[in-house]
């Protein structure tokens, strides 16, 4: 019936479809099975090979080495599938065995002796062939295997390989392949290879000359015939016939290479591909790769070869990378970042930049950007610190011109108070962090200029940035004044002679702050000092009834002070120390003193601090030959008008207003002056710490400024009822011994009096410590 025929036809058709699907599934399964069998067979062959090598008598090393090399080359002759990954072949195993044989051969021979396997590798240009295979990345993943082979060969073989032309030439070609593609799958192997090359050059710096490649003689730019021959080398592998150069000793190969060394050419035509590849890898999105690339650059810049240093700074983009990245990190900082956050953020070391975005954002906005900037600044600083001297100077100058002058100077010169405060805080942090001499020198020249002659009032504004920064020490904004004073306090403590010369010393060189009258024309001495000098013993403000904490006991200074003539000054120009100490301790009158009412605020605490700080300053200044007697007066130009200089002028003006300024400003002004007083320069010591010098008319010293402040204080004390109780209450509040309560009248003045008293004790301690240090050095 038709229905039954129809149903039969459907059954047959369905059966045919099922049969077809089963056949397709069977064919696919068979193909997968064959592939699986091939992989298993390859692994089994490798395992069997290792087992045979372990059980059978070992072949001579050279035969074994040649066997493994031919196992690699035969693959390219016999294989028809060049798309299978290299991990599915025996190539990685053969390469590993070749490395093991070379390592074993070297261990069995005397140091420096080249064995037959190494000779074979050099003679038959195996590294050249591997480079070609790696460049073609055939089979896929071969570049990774070749990079690993190069890296392990250089790392494990102790004898110097790079002098051989058949080593450094393919190594140089392989270097050019590194960093070509950003985020390449071979980045890890590339950076390992580049770093081992850098470490080898660090061990033998002369070898870097082989890696300065002449642009007009690129060995990889070949004629078509040469390219065809290279391709033939891949297809018809090296069998040790006529391709090799005559064998020779490493010295001969090095000599041959040196005859065509790039150093014999004009350095401006050289490529430094090792640096270029590392610079490319610093742009990797993988932070570990970036750190390793930076480490490699650190090794290269420290090489002492002048040709390499010139090529590094003239023919690579290293300076551009350093400065552009520094600028980009700086511009990424939020303009509203709190200056106190800038000052207090933890210390930063490049390469150890572990962070958490959420945690950083929770601490303060912009912390991540700030740490990134400071980390890169630290890297620039350390790179310049480690660099060869001429390269360091060029890199530091580039940072000055492209970052400080182009970016920071407009920020510091702006009129916005918020902008000034933030940029000054960042500059302060930069100065605190910088340790390299070359970079510090460029920063100092940027801030202070390079002038060495004495300042004049008319020429103060010749350097606009220097003038503006010093003026900011006396800004209408107390915050800007404090931040700029901190900046100069940091500068004074840096080991750079030009800082102190530019700010203060160049104006004191001729000692023309002293009176220019011959001795016979001067007024006769009264009580051992000139008539017009400040006579503290006769001044009614200063009596003999000193508090116990203020006066030094006789045993504190008499026992160690040499006896002098009745005159107050010794023959070497140094005033007796006990007179100086008591001059400062007696300067503030008793009714304005409050420290002896509070335990732990005595003069002895300043002695300990002064001793430590003076020792630190002597360590900084010991190379500058400052210690000794002042310049003899007969050699000084005392007729030249004296100007204390812009910096001291602003500090003295600020010091003169200590009774009318905020407490924090006074603390910072006196901190800067005490740092200057600690410096072991005889003229600075005389000008700041000797109350008994005869000043030229119109001149002022630190002591004379304080005397005028004290005179003003005495006039004000009598206008303030209950002055002493209020003074003591304010001191206790400042120390945290009393809770804040009702506002005290004249609190600014009272705080100024407390700072003045403490500052005088500090100056007395500094004078005492410096005197005894000088006395002990002359024994």
């Amino acid at each position: 019936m038709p229905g039954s025929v129809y149903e039969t036809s459907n059954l047959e058709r369905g059966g045919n479809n099922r049969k077809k699907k089963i056949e397709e599934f069977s064919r696919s399964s068979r193909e997968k099975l064959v592939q699986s069998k091939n992989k298993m067979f390859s692994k089994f062959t490798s395992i069997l090979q290792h087992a045979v090598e372990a059980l059978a008598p070992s072949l001579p090393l050279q035969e074994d080495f040649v066997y493994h090399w031919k196992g690699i080359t035969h693959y390219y002759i016999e294989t028809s599938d060049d798309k299978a990954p290299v991990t599915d072949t025996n190539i990685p195993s053969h390469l590993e065995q070749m490395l093991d044989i070379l390592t074993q051969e070297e261990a069995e021979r005397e140091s420096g002796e080249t064995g037959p396997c190494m000779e074979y590798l050099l003679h038959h240009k195996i590294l050249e062939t591997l480079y070609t295979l790696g460049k073609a990345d055939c089979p896929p993943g071969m570049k990774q295997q070749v990079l690993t082979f190069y890296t392990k060969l250089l790392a494990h073989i102790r004898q110097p390989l790079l002098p051989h032309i058949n080593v450094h030439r393919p190594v140089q070609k392989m270097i050019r392949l590194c960093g070509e593609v950003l985020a390449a799958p071979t980045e890890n192997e590339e950076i390992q290879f580049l770093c081992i090359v850098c470490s080898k050059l660090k061990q033998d710096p002369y070898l870097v000359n082989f890696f300065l490649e002449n642009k007009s003689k690129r060995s990889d730019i070949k004629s078509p015939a040469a390219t065809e021959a290279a391709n033939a080398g891949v297809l018809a592998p090296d069998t040790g016939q006529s391709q090799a150069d005559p064998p020779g000793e490493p010295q001969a190969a090095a000599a041959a290479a040196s005859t065509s060394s790039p150093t014999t050419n004009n350095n401006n035509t050289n490529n430094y591909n090792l640096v270029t590849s590392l610079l490319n890898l610093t742009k990797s999105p993988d932070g570990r790769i970036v750190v390793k690339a930076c480490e490699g650059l650190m090794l290269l810049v420290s090489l002492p070869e002048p040709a390499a240093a010139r090529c590094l700074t003239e023919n690579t983009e290293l300076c551009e990378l350093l400065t552009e990245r520094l600028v980009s990190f700086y511009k990424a900082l939020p303009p509203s970042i709190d200056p106190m956050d800038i000052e207090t953020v933890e210390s930063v070391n490049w390469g150890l930049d572990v962070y958490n975005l959420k945690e950083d954002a929770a601490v303060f906005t912009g912390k991540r950007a700030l740490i990134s900037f400071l980390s890169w600044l630290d890297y620039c600083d350390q790179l310049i610190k480690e660099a060869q001297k001429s390269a360091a100077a060029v890199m530091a100058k580039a940072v000055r011109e492209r970052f400080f002058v182009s970016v920071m100077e407009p920020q510091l010169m702006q009129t916005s108070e918020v902008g000034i405060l933030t940029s000054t805080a960042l500059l302060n942090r930069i100065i605190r962090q910088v340790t390299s001499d070359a970079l510090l020198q460029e920063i100092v020249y940027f801030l202070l200029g390079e002038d060495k002659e004495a300042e004049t009032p008319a020429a103060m504004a010749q350097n606009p940035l220097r003038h503006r920064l010093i003026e900011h020490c006396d800004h209408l904004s107390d915050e800007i004044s404090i931040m700029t004073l901190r900046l100069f306090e940091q500068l004074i403590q840096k080991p750079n002679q030009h800082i102190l010369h530019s700010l203060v010393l160049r104006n004191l060189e001729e000692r023309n702050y002293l009176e220019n009258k011959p001795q016979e024309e001067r007024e006769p001495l009264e009580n051992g000092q000139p008539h017009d000098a400040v006579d503290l013993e006769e001044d009614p403000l200063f009596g003999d009834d000193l508090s116990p904490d203020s006066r030094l006991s006789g045993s504190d200074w008499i026992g160690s002070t040499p006896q002098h003539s009745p005159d107050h000054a010794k023959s070497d120009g140094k005033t007796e120390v006990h007179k100086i100490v008591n001059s400062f301790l007696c300067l503030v009158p008793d009714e304005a003193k409050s420290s002896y009412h509070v335990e732990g605020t005595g003069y002895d605490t300043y002695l300990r601090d002064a001793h430590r700080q003076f020792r630190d300053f002597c360590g900084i200044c010991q190379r500058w030959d400052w210690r000794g007697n002042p310049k003899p007066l007969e050699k000084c130009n005392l007729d030249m008008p004296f100007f204390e200089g812009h910096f001291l002028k602003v500090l003295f003006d600020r010091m003169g207003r200590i009774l009318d300024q905020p407490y924090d400003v006074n603390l910072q002004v006196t901190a800067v002056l005490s740092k200057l007083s600690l410096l072991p320069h005889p003229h600075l010591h005389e000008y700041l710490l000797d109350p008994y010098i005869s000043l030229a008319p119109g001149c002022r010293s630190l002591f004379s400024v304080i005397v005028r402040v004290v005179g003003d204080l005495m006039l004000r004390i009598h206008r303030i009822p209950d002055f002493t109780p209020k003074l003591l209450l304010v001191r206790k509040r400042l120390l945290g011994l009393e809770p804040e309560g009702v506002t005290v009248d004249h609190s600014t003045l009272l705080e100024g009096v407390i700072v003045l008293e403490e500052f005088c004790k500090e100056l007395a301690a500094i004078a005492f410590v410096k005197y005894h240090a000088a006395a002990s050095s002359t024994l």
Side-chain angles (χ1 to χ4, degrees):
M1 290 187 300
S4 62
V5 171
Y6 175 75
E7 289 175 4
T8 303
S9 176
N10 281 340
L11 288 171
E12 287 176 356
R13 191 180 298 112
N16 290 336
N17 289 337
R18 284 193 296 273
K19 183 178 179 181
K20 194 173 183 179
K21 289 181 180 178
I22 291 170
E23 287 176 353
E24 289 176 357
F25 177 77
S26 299
R27 186 165 53 252
S28 173
S29 298
R30 280 196 303 272
E31 288 175 357
K32 290 181 179 178
L33 184 61
V34 169
Q35 290 178 0
S36 177
K37 283 182 178 179
N38 287 339
K39 288 184 180 180
M40 289 178 63
F41 179 75
S42 175
K43 292 180 179 178
F44 175 75
T45 304
S46 177
I47 294 170
L48 184 62
Q49 178 184 329
H50 283 85
V52 169
E53 290 171 356
L55 297 174
S58 60
L59 293 171
L61 288 179
Q62 185 178 2
E63 292 182 27
D64 204 9
F65 186 81
V66 173
Y67 163 78
H68 287 292
W69 174 237
K70 289 185 176 179
I72 295 174
T73 57
H74 286 166
Y75 167 83
Y76 291 93
I77 298 173
E78 297 169 357
T79 187
S80 58
D81 182 13
D82 59 354
K83 294 183 179 179
V86 71
T87 51
D88 289 349
T89 72
N90 289 330
I91 292 175
S93 175
H94 286 307
L95 288 173
E96 188 176 346
Q97 290 298 316
M98 289 169 65
L99 280 169
D100 291 343
I101 290 169
L102 291 170
T103 305
Q104 181 183 347
E105 179 185 69
E106 184 179 54
E108 293 175 354
R109 292 181 171 271
E110 293 184 5
S111 177
E113 184 181 349
T114 303
C117 297
M118 182 60 72
E119 286 286 357
Y120 186 90
L121 178 137
L122 299 172
H123 185 74
H124 296 286
K125 299 184 178 180
I126 288 178
L127 295 181
E128 287 277 4
T129 305
L130 286 174
Y131 157 73
T132 308
L133 299 174
K135 182 178 182 182
D137 199 29
C138 177
M142 189 60 186
K143 180 181 177 182
Q144 198 169 16
Q145 296 296 323
V146 173
L147 283 165
T148 301
F149 182 84
Y150 272 50
T151 302
K152 290 183 177 179
L153 180 71
L154 293 174
H156 295 168
I157 301 301
R158 296 190 302 274
Q159 62 177 294
L161 292 179
L162 288 177
H164 293 276
I165 192 170
N166 287 337
V167 175
H168 70 251
R169 183 175 290 170
V171 166
Q172 190 178 52
K173 292 177 183 178
M174 187 61 70
I175 287 169
R176 289 198 293 269
L177 294 182
C178 298
E180 284 186 328
V181 180
L182 196 63
T186 57
E187 265 192 347
N188 191 55
E189 287 74 22
E190 289 174 14
I191 195 61
Q192 295 294 336
F193 164 65
L194 294 176
C195 284
I196 193 63
V197 174
C198 293
S199 67
K200 289 296 177 182
L201 296 183
K202 181 69 174 176
Q203 293 172 13
D204 191 354
Y206 172 74
L207 296 177
V208 74
N209 292 309
F210 297 127
F211 295 88
L212 306 181
E213 186 183 14
N214 189 275
K215 293 179 182 178
S216 60
K217 296 182 179 180
R218 282 278 298 270
S219 58
D220 63 335
I221 301 177
K222 300 178 180 178
S223 64
T227 305
E228 188 176 331
N231 292 336
V234 177
L235 299 175
D238 182 9
T239 56
Q241 300 303 315
S242 60
Q243 298 178 24
D245 294 333
E249 295 297 321
Q251 292 82 357
S258 64
T259 59
S260 61
S261 172
T263 55
T264 59
N265 302 300
N266 185 339
N267 205 63
N268 289 328
T269 65
N270 287 341
N271 278 328
Y272 202 164
N273 291 307
L274 187 53
V275 173
T276 302
S277 294
L278 287 169
L279 289 176
N280 289 337
L281 287 171
T282 62
K283 302 168 187 175
S284 169
D286 188 337
R288 296 169 301 173
I289 301 293
V290 174
V291 170
K292 294 292 288 183
C294 289
E295 289 173 352
L297 290 171
M298 189 82 72
L299 289 174
L300 292 181
V301 300
S302 66
L303 299 180
E305 287 292 310
R310 286 195 303 274
C311 193
L312 182 85
T313 53
E314 295 174 10
N315 300 342
T316 74
E317 296 182 354
L318 177 61
C319 290
E320 287 82 353
L321 173 84
L322 294 178
T323 53
E324 287 174 6
R325 199 165 290 184
L326 198 62
V327 169
S328 65
F329 281 134
Y330 182 85
K331 289 183 175 179
L333 295 171
S336 59
I337 191 167
D338 191 333
M340 290 309 298
D341 290 332
I342 296 172
E343 285 205 325
T344 57
V345 72
E346 61 270 16
S347 59
V348 174
N349 296 310
W350 79 272
L352 301 177
D353 189 13
V354 180
Y355 60 91
N356 183 299
L357 287 175
K358 290 185 178 180
E359 290 181 3
D360 289 344
V363 175
F364 64 85
T365 303
K367 182 180 180 184
R368 169 60 8 222
L370 178 60
I371 289 178
S372 296
F373 169 73
L374 294 176
S375 294
W376 190 251
L377 172 69
D378 184 56
Y379 177 69
C380 295
D381 180 46
Q382 294 303 316
L383 194 73
I384 294 171
K385 189 175 184 177
E386 295 295 326
Q388 192 257 10
K389 193 172 181 180
S390 61
V394 173
M395 288 189 287
K397 189 161 288 188
V399 173
R400 172 188 174 183
E401 293 171 355
R402 299 175 189 175
F403 172 66
F404 285 103
V405 174
S406 300
V407 179
M408 284 219 72
E409 184 168 356
Q411 295 289 310
L412 294 166
M413 296 290 286
Q414 65 183 303
T415 55
S416 165
E417 290 190 0
V418 174
I420 293 171
L421 191 60
T422 302
S423 57
T424 306
L426 283 166
L427 180 59
N428 189 12
R429 181 61 192 255
I430 289 169
I431 291 170
R432 191 172 84 195
Q433 187 166 311
V434 167
T435 58
S436 66
D437 291 340
L439 184 55
L440 178 61
Q441 185 71 68
E442 292 299 331
I443 294 174
V444 169
Y445 285 157
F446 160 69
L447 294 175
L448 305 179
E450 301 181 35
D451 294 336
K452 299 186 185 308
E453 302 80 19
E455 292 179 80
T456 61
M460 277 196 314
Q462 280 185 348
N463 186 320
L465 179 59
R466 180 184 190 275
H467 182 265
R468 182 71 64 87
L469 285 173
I470 294 176
E471 286 293 309
H472 284 174
C473 293
D474 197 4
H475 198 275
L476 289 175
S477 165
D478 292 332
E479 286 183 304
I480 290 176
S481 295
I482 292 169
M483 189 59 69
T484 311
L485 286 164
R486 284 178 184 163
L487 170 69
F488 281 104
E489 184 182 8
Q490 283 291 338
L491 270 177
I492 290 168
Q493 297 175 84
K494 302 300 285 190
N496 185 286
Q497 190 170 3
H498 184 71
I499 296 170
L500 299 162
H501 182 82
S502 175
L503 290 175
V504 288
L505 294 178
R506 58 175 169 161
N507 306 307
L508 307 179
E509 281 183 330
E510 297 301 326
R511 299 177 72 193
N512 47 338
Y513 45 83
L514 296 174
E515 187 179 16
N516 189 18
K517 290 182 181 179
Q519 185 65 42
E520 58 271 13
E521 295 181 14
R522 296 183 185 179
E523 297 291 335
L525 297 180
E526 295 183 8
N527 297 324
Q529 53 189 352
H531 175 73
D532 56 352
V534 179
D535 188 352
L536 298 178
E537 294 178 1
E538 298 297 326
D539 196 307
L541 296 179
F542 312 115
D544 291 331
D545 52 337
L546 301 175
S547 62
D549 285 342
S550 299
R551 181 181 290 279
L552 282 173
S553 64
S555 60
D556 286 331
W557 51 267
I558 292 179
S560 56
T561 304
Q563 296 297 317
H564 304 301
S565 63
D567 291 343
H568 78 281
K570 301 184 295 180
S571 58
D572 63 1
K574 294 176 181 174
T575 308
E576 291 182 18
V577 66
H578 69 280
K579 290 191 174 184
I580 293 176
V581 169
N582 280 325
S583 294
F584 282 112
L585 292 178
C586 300
L587 202 46
V588 177
D590 280 354
E591 54 264 46
K593 291 181 179 178
S594 56
S595 61
Y596 57 89
H597 292 292
V598 180
E599 190 175 347
T601 58
Y603 165 75
D604 56 335
T605 58
Y606 287 102
L607 276 176
R608 288 191 293 270
D609 290 341
H611 176 76
R612 176 182 53 79
Q613 293 181 52
F614 181 66
R615 182 188 58 212
D616 293 342
F617 269 111
C618 287
I620 293 172
C621 307
Q622 61 184 350
R623 295 176 297 166
W624 303 342
D625 192 27
W626 278 1
R627 303 184 72 173
N629 296 325
K631 183 178 179 181
L633 284 175
E634 57 270 17
K635 296 183 179 181
C636 295
N637 183 9
L638 298 178
D639 294 325
M640 185 172 67
F642 175 68
F643 175 53
E644 64 246 31
H646 192 192
F647 186 57
L648 282 179
K649 176 184 181 301
V650 170
L651 289 179
F652 285 173
D653 290 347
R654 274 291 198 185
M655 190 67 206
R657 303 198 300 271
I658 194 171
L659 301 179
D660 303 300
Q661 294 173 155
Y663 178 72
D664 291 336
V665 173
N666 288 335
L667 286 180
Q668 200 56 54
V669 170
T670 54
V672 175
L673 285 169
S674 68
K675 292 293 188 301
L676 289 173
S677 302
L678 280 161
L679 289 166
H681 191 284
H683 296 173
L684 197 55
H685 177 86
E686 176 182 63
Y687 184 61
L688 295 181
L689 289 178
D690 190 348
Y692 294 97
I693 58 172
S694 298
L695 290 171
C699 295
R700 59 180 178 172
S701 67
L702 177 58
F703 190 81
S704 70
V705 171
I706 298 176
V707 166
R708 289 187 179 90
V709 171
V710 171
D712 183 30
L713 172 63
M714 292 303 295
L715 295 176
R716 298 196 196 187
I717 285 178
H718 303 294
R719 303 174 190 164
I720 301 175
D722 300 322
F723 178 84
T724 302
K726 288 179 180 178
L727 182 65
L728 184 58
L729 175 61
V730 169
R731 176 179 280 273
K732 288 182 177 180
R733 283 184 178 179
L734 290 174
L735 293 173
L737 302 176
E738 287 283 344
E740 292 294 330
V742 180
T743 303
V744 179
D745 294 338
H746 308 285
S747 59
T748 298
L749 182 143
L750 296 171
E751 289 171 348
V753 172
I754 292 167
V755 174
L756 180 64
E757 180 189 356
E758 297 303 310
F759 184 49
C760 288
K761 290 193 291 185
E762 186 175 13
L763 292 177
I766 291 170
F768 185 82
V769 166
K770 290 177 76 173
Y771 174 84
H772 282 284
S776 62
S777 65
T778 58
L779 293 178

